[in-house]
Amino acid sequence: MKTRLRPLWLLLCLGALVLSCKETAKNTEKAQGANEQETAYYTEAFRPQFHFSPEEKWMNDPNGLVYHKGIYHLFYQYYPEDIVWGPMHWGHATSTDLVHWQHKPIALYPDEHGLIFSGSAVVDVNNTSGFGSLENPPLVAIFTYHDMKGEQEGKNDYQTQGIAYSLDNGETWTKHVGNPVIKNNGYKDFRDPKVFWNENTNKWTMLLVAGDHMQVWLSDNLKVWEQVSEFGRDKGAHGGVWECPDMFKLKVDGTAMEKWVLLISINPGAPNGGSGTQYFIGDFDGTTFTTEQDGAKWFDLGRDNYAGVTYNDAPNGERIFIGWMSNWDYARDTPTEKWRSAMTLPRTLRLENMNGRYELFNYPISQVDMLMDGSTTGRSMEMAAGDTTQLALPSGNQTEIKFTVTRPNMQLILRNEKGEALNLSLDADGEMARLDRSQSGLVDFSERFVNGVQEMPMPHLPEGPIEVRMFLDNSSLEVFVNKGQYVMTNQIFPTQDYTVLEMVPKGTAPLAITEMTVRPVARIWD
Ligand code: FRU
């Protein structure tokens, strides 16, 4: 196979030299990362530069995503004592643009009812709970209490639901004296309340998961709840317990029609192993969710997008999703020292009717564009069959790669000078994408980090030109094919930044790439 370095990109390589001193310093630091005690703020080995991660210690699921008075709140499962999972609190961060984040004090601590597991938050605009007033409506958090003692004693009713409120836009929280508001009648797994205001019925609506199914509960005041239906014992994937439900209405693009989308995380049982998120498209009459869909559809076919949920009350009716960028298969073992794990880029959700099938798209919110130079002009490239084209990555592992292509049958390989390589193959004709991270860097911290090559079926890729977009942020790669129709999110731990993107057309046809940009992504931490 011939390797040709295109002149256009040679120029880019030269440009890269300007940045290379900085990069070398960063690489050296990354190589030493494991031994380093003190580093500048948010520059430790593998630290994401434009994704949310906690300053220190363990984080898992996003919780209580709610927008109120110009502020996006991100609460999250947090253990402040260690970098492995432990007694859960709700950590807290806020943002005005969903891109830059401010860390806040811990919002919810464990109490006599138990640890604080996942849940949601609402703005109680009409003060139905009586916790605030019409002038100052309360924020109300709804979460699961996990009673460790009960679990250790072998009981099966140790998960209950509690609420807390804040009258100062999330700065301080008070637990409700009547907790728990929903007791448990015998489900070992009974958790992750997602509450939203259903404007069709004027009811607070709660989704709860109970092992192998989801339950719907209704309330007028967030304190007294009644179960009205259940869904899913015989639908979708059941390779593990159901977790972190979410449900919302979406307009079908280009029509006046609305459908309801139900997200259900499942662990284990994802197609590529461990944790994953399935979705159902159907209808909700205010009490019952129904769907004609029997099998599972998957939100993201990478291995590291779990427990994701969406914002309540996001402006302009936008439906915005954030997921936890990890997988329970190895979440506790990843090679970071100060903190553990990050969130996905926030993504906007959209529904398309493609020849009678509904497809859920998830794609980075437009605010992310502010992190890249919008004046960069795209290039066109013609690649002959068998050619290898190498492009420099001047900004290393802090890069956005984007191009347009028709029927991508090609390999995209990210390489560094240590011989580490991350291999993505897009096989439009074979209707499949494959991602191999077995040589991508550190992988042996867990036997389950690499369990073969990941596969993402792409059965309904359009025939015409489509966009391929990738975000590389130190220890993650997010791949969006056709604006979020097919998505793979993965953690990676290269011991040096990748310096080259290699592109190889597969098969006998030449490949035309247009609007190609390789742009540095600005860091979000001061
Ligand atoms: C999902 C999950 C939730 C639970 C939380 C505990 O990752 O298992 O079901 O509430 O994590 O931290």
Side-chain angles (χ1 to χ4, degrees):
M1 197 182 290
K2 197 166 45 154
T3 300
R4 198 192 302 165
L5 219 59
R6 305 257 155 179
L8 199 67
W9 296 101
L10 267 175
L11 269 180
L12 243 180
C13 297
L14 286 177
L17 283 177
V18 181
L19 286 166
S20 71
C21 295
K22 186 171 150 249
E23 287 307 315
T24 310
K26 201 163 135 200
N27 286 340
T28 312
E29 175 192 298
K30 186 168 290 187
Q32 295 168 347
N35 305 321
E36 206 126 312
Q37 291 306 307
E38 286 296 323
T39 47
Y41 190 62
Y42 269 70
T43 59
E44 305 91 347
F46 306 122
R47 180 69 97 166
Q49 296 299 297
F50 58 94
H51 285 78
F52 179 82
S53 60
E55 269 181 317
E56 55 172 20
K57 308 303 179 190
W58 168 272
M59 174 181 83
N60 56 292
D61 315 357
N63 295 152
L65 302 186
V66 67
Y67 178 82
H68 186 45
K69 293 187 179 163
I71 303 282
Y72 292 92
H73 293 273
L74 165 61
F75 300 92
Y76 51 88
Q77 288 288 277
Y78 189 51
Y79 181 45
E81 306 291 331
D82 204 344
I83 57 160
V84 290
W85 190 92
M88 283 288 113
H89 301 54
W90 272 26
H92 186 201
T94 57
S95 176
T96 53
D97 59 11
L98 282 174
V99 174
H100 301 90
W101 294 96
Q102 200 181 347
H103 294 291
K104 307 294 270 184
I106 289 174
L108 297 173
Y109 287 80
D111 62 33
E112 73 274 19
H113 301 296
L115 317 179
I116 315 293
F117 273 21
S118 286
S120 50
V122 296
V123 185
D124 183 10
V125 180
N126 298 322
N127 191 32
T128 60
S129 62
F131 291 143
S133 61
L134 285 177
E135 296 70 44
N136 187 24
L139 272 187
V140 181
I142 308 96
F143 50 85
T144 295
Y145 273 124
H146 180 97
D147 172 19
M148 276 302 236
K149 202 160 149 273
E151 184 185 13
Q152 279 152 9
E153 286 167 1
K155 296 187 175 153
N156 59 4
D157 59 355
Y158 50 82
Q159 294 190 337
T160 57
Q161 320 311 320
I163 60 178
Y165 62 92
S166 169
L167 299 176
D168 52 11
N169 204 1
E171 294 291 317
T172 57
W173 290 85
T174 307
K175 303 251 183 56
H176 174 47
V177 287
N179 277 340
V181 292
I182 298 183
K183 297 201 174 71
N184 183 326
N185 49 22
Y187 291 108
K188 221 163 72 56
D189 298 292
F190 185 58
R191 58 178 178 264
D192 304 343
K194 169 73 188 216
V195 176
F196 61 94
W197 176 254
N198 186 347
E199 69 212 4
N200 300 341
T201 53
N202 284 343
K203 292 276 185 194
W204 292 112
T205 305
M206 179 195 289
L207 317 169
L208 264 179
V209 279
D212 64 350
H213 68 280
M214 183 266 289
Q215 303 181 346
V216 178
W217 294 64
L218 301 181
S219 173
D220 291 319
N221 58 11
L222 294 163
K223 294 172 177 165
V224 180
W225 292 91
E226 184 198 358
Q227 189 193 340
V228 292
S229 71
E230 66 166 59
F231 167 81
R233 288 182 202 259
D234 56 352
K235 298 273 190 192
H238 284 279
V241 275
W242 282 24
E243 299 188 317
C244 301
D246 195 1
M247 188 169 73
F248 42 85
K249 241 184 336 193
L250 280 184
K251 227 194 201 114
V252 182
D253 267 12
T255 74
M257 191 194 252
E258 288 181 327
K259 298 297 281 182
W260 285 78
V261 178
L262 171 64
L263 303 182
I264 297 282
S265 283
I266 175 172
N267 179 60
N272 285 307
S275 320
T277 300
Q278 56 180 325
Y279 70 90
F280 299 89
I281 294 172
D283 297 295
F284 180 60
D285 64 6
T287 57
T288 309
F289 178 78
T290 48
T291 178
E292 286 164 12
Q293 181 187 328
D294 283 322
K297 286 169 169 263
W298 297 94
F299 187 87
D300 186 321
L301 266 295
R303 294 199 68 199
D304 295 298
N305 184 352
Y306 192 60
V309 284
T310 66
Y311 270 89
N312 276 328
D313 301 334
N316 309 318
E318 200 177 352
R319 186 52 61 175
I320 300 167
F321 166 100
I322 294 180
W324 172 46
M325 219 159 27
S326 200
N327 187 316
W328 283 114
D329 261 6
Y330 43 76
R332 303 166 184 85
D333 308 315
T334 54
T336 58
E337 291 203 326
K338 186 171 176 189
W339 87 102
R340 201 166 257 147
S341 81
M343 295 301 180
T344 64
L345 284 177
R347 301 177 187 176
T348 199
L349 305 188
R350 198 160 73 65
L351 208 52
E352 268 197 33
N353 182 340
M354 301 179 95
N355 305 323
R357 277 180 335 271
Y358 296 108
E359 301 249 326
L360 182 64
F361 284 55
N362 72 94
Y363 190 69
I365 52 165
S366 58
Q367 293 94 304
V368 169
D369 292 352
M370 75 171 88
L371 299 174
M372 282 86 65
D373 179 359
S375 68
T376 316
T377 41
R379 314 283 170 138
S380 297
M381 298 159 57
E382 188 60 44
M383 289 188 284
D387 258 14
T388 295
T389 302
Q390 294 194 323
L391 314 184
L393 298 176
S395 50
N397 279 20
Q398 211 179 311
T399 297
E400 181 226 34
I401 296 163
K402 191 162 78 151
F403 57 89
T404 301
V405 62
T406 299
R407 302 305 293 169
N409 291 302
M410 65 193 298
Q411 243 175 310
L412 295 150
I413 309 165
L414 293 158
R415 294 187 186 282
N416 67 15
E417 284 153 13
K418 285 203 155 174
E420 295 165 344
L422 177 62
N423 195 323
L424 171 68
S425 121
L426 301 177
D427 183 359
D429 293 344
E431 302 184 338
M432 186 68 84
R434 291 187 178 79
L435 189 121
D436 181 355
R437 62 178 176 183
S438 62
Q439 312 295 318
S440 62
L442 300 182
V443 296
D444 59 3
F445 51 85
S446 160
E447 275 175 11
R448 296 200 276 181
F449 185 65
V450 175
N451 65 347
V453 173
Q454 299 172 35
E455 295 199 330
M456 173 169 71
M458 302 191 293
H460 306 297
L461 212 53
E463 289 299 322
I466 55 153
E467 181 195 270
V468 176
R469 192 180 192 193
M470 302 192 270
F471 284 92
L472 187 58
D473 187 5
N474 279 303
S475 48
S476 64
L477 176 75
E478 288 160 289
V479 180
F480 301 90
V481 179
N482 190 27
K483 300 252 181 192
Q485 183 185 5
Y486 299 115
V487 178
M488 288 183 115
T489 300
N490 275 287
Q491 291 187 86
I492 42 165
F493 299 95
T495 58
Q496 274 189 2
D497 277 14
Y498 298 125
T499 49
V500 165
L501 167 66
E502 204 168 283
M503 303 172 85
V504 192
K506 295 207 288 196
T508 50
L511 204 63
I513 303 278
T514 57
E515 300 173 281
M516 171 121 202
T517 53
V518 176
R519 300 189 289 181
V521 185
R523 152 188 164 98
I524 61 170
W525 306 104
D526 293 331

